[in-house]
Amino acid sequence: MTDPSLSGMSRPAAGGRPAPESAPSPGPLAGLRVLDLATLFAGPLAATLLGDFGAEVIKVEHPRRPDPSRGHGPAKDGIGLWWKLLGRNKKTMTLDLSLPGGRDVLLRLAAGADVIVENFRPGTLEKWGLGWAELSAVNPRLVLARITGFGQFGPYARRPGFGTLAEAMSGFAAITGEPDGPPTLPPFGLADAIAALTTSYAVMAALRGREATGRGQVVDLALIEPMLTVLGPQPLWYDQLGHVQPRTGNRSANVAPRNTYRTADGSWVAVSTSAESVAARVMRLVGRPEVIEEPWFGTGSGRAQHADELDAAVGDWIARHDRAEVLAAFEEAEAAVAPIYDIREVMTDPQYRALGSITEIPDEELGTVRMQNVLFRLSETPGAIRWAGRPHGADTDEVLAGLGLTGPEIAGLRAAGAL
C-alpha cells in the first residue's frame, strides 16, 4: 500500500490537506490572477506561495532568456529541477516586454489581473511604458509588488541587488560563524526566501486594503529589510546600550547550553534550552544537577556567561552515547533535542511523513517528482500542488487566446519577436 504522506496532495484530514482520492481544493485564493514577471528568486517564490493556495499564476518569461532558475543547480535529462519547485502551479508564457507588441499584451493581461510581481531594477518598467501610471490606468484595482535589493528610492536604489548582498548588509553575516572566523553567508537563498514570505504577506495586506478603498497600490519591498527584521532586537540593543552582537558560532549570547554536539556513533544533535525549566532538565540528565542551584542559572544571560562549563557537561555526556540513545533519553526527560539531518534523513523522517511535508507530484517531463508540500495546513480551504513547473512558454497560446487574440495575431507577435 502506498504511504499516504507521499500520495498526491495527501495530508491528514484534520491537517487541512485533501485525501489522496479527493480532488484538490480550489484554495482560498481561487479567483485571483497573478502575473509573475520576476526572476531569481524572491518574486517567483512569492508568486508560487500565492498559487499554492489557489491563485491563477501566469509566469511571463522572456522568449529568448528564460527565468535563470531553470538553469540553476542540478538538472536531470537537461531539465532544471529547481524550476520544478519554483514554477509549480504556474502557467508559463513568453513575452518580450521591451517590444511594443509585448507591452500591449502585458497591458491587456494587467487589465484582468489582481497582482503583478516584478523585480526589475527601478525604472525598468517605466522605460518600457509599463510603470505604475500605465498599469493603474488600465486597472485601478491592481496590486503591483516590486521587489528589489534596496527599494525603489534612496542612494542604492539602482544598484544590482541579490540575496547575498542583503545577508551581508542586514547584519546577518556579521553575527554568523565562529568567533575567530570570517563572517559567514548561508549556502542557500535565505534572504530571497524570507523576502518571498514577506511579499506574499504584503500582497495579501494590499488586497485586503483594496476591499476597503476599492483601489490597488504599490508594494515596495527591499530585500535588506525582511532580513533586518528577522534578526530581532539588535537595533534596540545598539540604540539603548551600544551593544553589538558578536559572532558566537553555534552558541547563543542569550542562553546556554545551546550548541551542536557529536554523539558516540559520529552523528550530531542540536540542543536548545531557551526555557530555564528545559535547561534544568538537561543538566539533571547529564549528571550535573548541582549547577541548577547556582544564582546565575536562573537567567538565560547568566547561563550564557557560563557556556564553557555547561557545554562541556552536555558535550561529554552526549559523546558517550549513540544518537538513538541521546534522543531517547532527552525525550524521556522532556528536554529539547533534535538530530542534525541532511536531506536524506528529512525525506524519511516519520514526523515529516506524518505531516506530508514532502509530497509526490506527477510531472509531464520527469514522470513524478518529490518536493516540499504547501507551506501550512488550512482546515477548511487547504492549498494544493496541481502541477510542477512547466516547460518554457508552454501556455503562451492558451493565455493569449484567453485574451481574445486570434491565431494570425499570435503568429504576428511571434514573428515580431514579442513571443
Side-chain angles (χ1 to χ4, degrees):
M1 182 175 179
T2 302
D3 184 338
S5 70
L6 299 178
S7 301
M9 303 310 122
S10 169
R11 292 208 184 185
R17 303 278 172 112
E21 65 275 5
S22 65
S25 161
L29 302 184
L32 287 178
R33 173 174 276 197
V34 178
L35 305 181
D36 175 8
L37 313 185
T39 59
L40 290 180
F41 287 95
L45 181 55
T48 300
L49 298 175
L50 298 173
D52 284 350
F53 286 90
E56 178 193 12
V57 181
I58 299 173
K59 174 70 176 181
V60 179
E61 298 176 80
H62 193 280
R64 294 163 294 281
R65 297 189 298 274
D67 188 315
S69 66
R70 292 182 180 270
H72 265 58
K76 181 180 179 182
D77 300 331
I79 299 166
L81 299 177
W82 200 333
W83 169 253
K84 289 298 176 183
L85 171 68
L86 200 60
R88 72 189 192 190
N89 291 335
K90 298 180 183 181
K91 298 177 181 178
T92 63
M93 69 173 296
T94 59
L95 209 56
D96 187 339
L97 303 181
S98 69
L99 297 179
R103 173 189 182 275
D104 294 343
V105 170
L106 195 280
L107 288 173
R108 292 179 67 168
L109 285 168
D114 297 282
V115 180
I116 291 179
V117 180
E118 66 97 358
N119 69 338
F120 299 106
R121 287 198 207 180
T124 301
L125 284 184
E126 287 75 9
K127 178 179 65 176
W128 295 334
L130 291 170
W132 177 240
E134 292 85 0
L135 293 170
S136 61
V138 299
N139 184 354
R141 292 176 56 81
L142 183 69
V143 170
L144 175 62
R146 316 193 76 168
I147 306 169
T148 56
F150 306 105
Q152 294 294 313
F153 56 91
Y156 304 161
R158 292 186 178 271
R159 290 183 181 179
F162 296 97
T164 297
L165 308 188
E167 290 148 9
M169 286 184 61
S170 63
F172 171 83
I175 63 170
T176 304
E178 294 300 323
D180 56 352
T184 302
L185 297 167
F188 64 99
L190 177 63
D192 280 283
I194 293 173
L197 292 165
T198 308
T199 300
S200 60
Y201 163 63
V203 165
M204 298 311 300
L207 290 172
R208 178 64 182 89
R210 186 178 73 174
E211 293 180 12
T213 67
R215 299 187 307 276
Q217 59 186 300
V218 175
V219 172
D220 176 9
L221 187 133
L223 288 177
I224 56 175
E225 291 183 307
M227 280 298 298
L228 181 60
T229 295
V230 301
L231 290 180
Q234 288 192 53
L236 273 167
W237 289 342
Y238 180 74
D239 174 60
Q240 296 295 305
L241 302 172
H243 174 73
V244 178
Q245 183 171 328
R247 286 191 292 282
T248 57
N250 289 323
R251 286 181 173 177
S252 168
N254 306 310
V255 295
R258 189 262 197 183
N259 214 324
T260 60
Y261 307 91
R262 193 166 190 173
T263 62
D265 55 353
S267 297
W268 291 85
V269 298
V271 172
S272 175
T273 58
S274 296
E276 179 190 353
S277 59
V278 174
R281 292 170 197 158
V282 170
M283 300 318 296
R284 291 190 190 99
L285 172 64
V286 303
R288 291 292 306 278
E290 72 280 3
V291 299
I292 301 170
E293 305 305 321
E294 295 287 347
W296 48 261
F297 194 85
T299 65
S301 58
R303 295 194 301 277
Q305 292 172 17
H306 292 79
D308 287 345
E309 177 183 355
L310 299 176
D311 260 350
V314 175
D316 289 349
W317 185 90
I318 288 177
R320 298 195 302 271
H321 299 81
D322 289 348
R323 186 175 80 172
E325 297 171 331
V326 172
L327 298 177
F330 268 71
E331 182 172 0
E332 183 177 356
E334 297 185 353
V337 70
I340 294 178
Y341 282 166
D342 64 23
I343 193 58
R344 293 169 294 186
E345 293 172 296
V346 169
M347 298 290 273
T348 59
D349 179 84
Q351 182 62 32
Y352 282 124
R353 282 180 174 265
L355 294 174
S357 303
I358 304 294
T359 190
E360 189 173 84
I361 307 299
D363 182 70
E364 59 192 288
E365 295 178 294
L366 298 175
T368 58
V369 293
R370 284 193 291 168
M371 65 176 66
Q372 300 95 318
N373 213 325
V374 301
L375 195 56
F376 48 84
R377 290 161 292 281
L378 296 179
S379 62
E380 297 297 326
T381 54
I385 304 171
R386 300 179 293 283
W387 60 82
R390 288 173 49 71
H392 181 232
D395 305 294
T396 300
D397 288 6
E398 175 192 330
V399 172
L400 295 179
L403 289 177
L405 273 69
T406 66
E409 287 174 318
I410 295 172
L413 287 167
R414 189 163 277 123
L419 302 181

